[in-house]
Amino acid sequence: MSYEVYKMENSSKEKLPFKLLYVTQSEYDKGWHSTHHTHHFTELFYIVKGKGSFILPKHEVPVKENDLIIINPNVEHTEKSNEQDSLQYIALGIEGLAFSITGEKDSTMGLYTYNGDREDILFYLNKLLEEVKRNEKDFELICQNIIEILIVKLKREKKFTIEKAESRNMNKAVALTMHYINQNYRDALTLDTLADIGHINKYYLAHIFKSDVGISPIEYLNKIRIREAKILLETTDYSIAHISGIIGYSSQSFFTQAFKKATGETPSKYRKKK
């Protein structure tokens, strides 16, 4: 007979008051990109398959399968697949903490290739996805515990420094809706679509979104589309009709009306000024 006892040491470490806002799994076609955006919480991306890049104000960083990307709060960024490969990743939104590496001055974004057991990290990420999809009793409590385990494992592997960050106590459905709009603004999105994504009543979503963000979900969608339209008008020779289709409007006339309402001038006039 063999009998061994392993004692658990009492830990006096302060527990970080962070909150998991959302977990999503996305796969995008070749040539896809999201729009430039910022948020007050940290985003963690794990590249499951494919290649692409993350674009920040001062540089563009290529990413590939098995890379771990951390975007700290209030950092403008966008992500995209390349022309040869689609891009599949799992993304987490985490409020209340920020990451940095000891000795590095620029901690706005970290690109880390995970050198540990890939099956181990994917196990926890897939468990998060499973709990969210099943949406059973106390699933949020299970998710919170899983993300705490995952963060400890990542910290062990990479020697992260984890610090407290701004916390607005944003509603989780609101954070998920914002993330979904940023990634899928080109699609035909409606309030019903967004409510289904967040598993929430559409009228309640509209109420809490405006309370947290200051505008309605559809106003936020139009804001994102108009911002992308400005970039395309400034940097490409695409026709107005083509741009309207790229950013998700059903017709050029509808796009022109929305653009003029937001900027005070038509797309054509805006382009001539640039």
Side-chain angles (χ1 to χ4, degrees), residues 150-260:
L150 184 59
I151 287 175
V152 170
K153 283 184 165 289
L154 293 175
K155 188 177 179 182
R156 280 180 183 172
E157 175 72 19
K158 287 296 179 183
K159 312 301 182 185
F160 291 125
T161 298
I162 301 178
E163 303 170 349
K164 290 182 181 180
E166 176 186 4
S167 180
R168 296 183 189 173
N169 199 28
M170 176 176 279
N171 185 282
K172 294 181 179 181
V174 172
L176 176 59
T177 300
M178 290 181 68
H179 174 81
Y180 189 84
I181 290 173
N182 289 332
Q183 312 306 105
N184 301 280
Y185 64 93
R186 295 179 174 187
D187 296 341
L189 302 181
T190 65
L191 186 59
D192 288 298
T193 305
L194 298 174
D196 287 342
I197 295 298
H199 305 289
I200 190 172
N201 178 277
K202 66 179 180 180
Y203 301 109
Y204 183 58
L205 173 61
H207 171 71
I208 59 174
F209 195 99
K210 189 162 187 177
S211 177
D212 282 1
V213 183
I215 55 178
S216 73
I218 299 305
E219 287 174 325
Y220 181 78
L221 171 61
N222 283 324
K223 180 180 177 181
I224 294 299
R225 285 173 169 172
I226 297 302
R227 180 174 181 176
E228 184 68 16
K230 287 180 177 179
I231 294 172
L232 292 171
L233 288 167
E234 294 170 9
T235 60
T236 73
D237 294 324
Y238 294 160
S239 69
I240 305 300
H242 187 42
I243 290 175
S244 69
I246 289 176
I247 61 175
Y249 285 103
S250 57
S251 70
Q252 180 179 338
S253 60
F254 187 35
F255 164 54
T256 299
Q257 291 173 20
F259 192 92
K260 188 172 183 179

Side-chain angles (χ1 to χ4, degrees), residues 4-10:
E4 295 183 31
V5 176
Y6 300 95
K7 292 179 64 177
M8 302 294 290
E9 299 293 336
N10 292 326

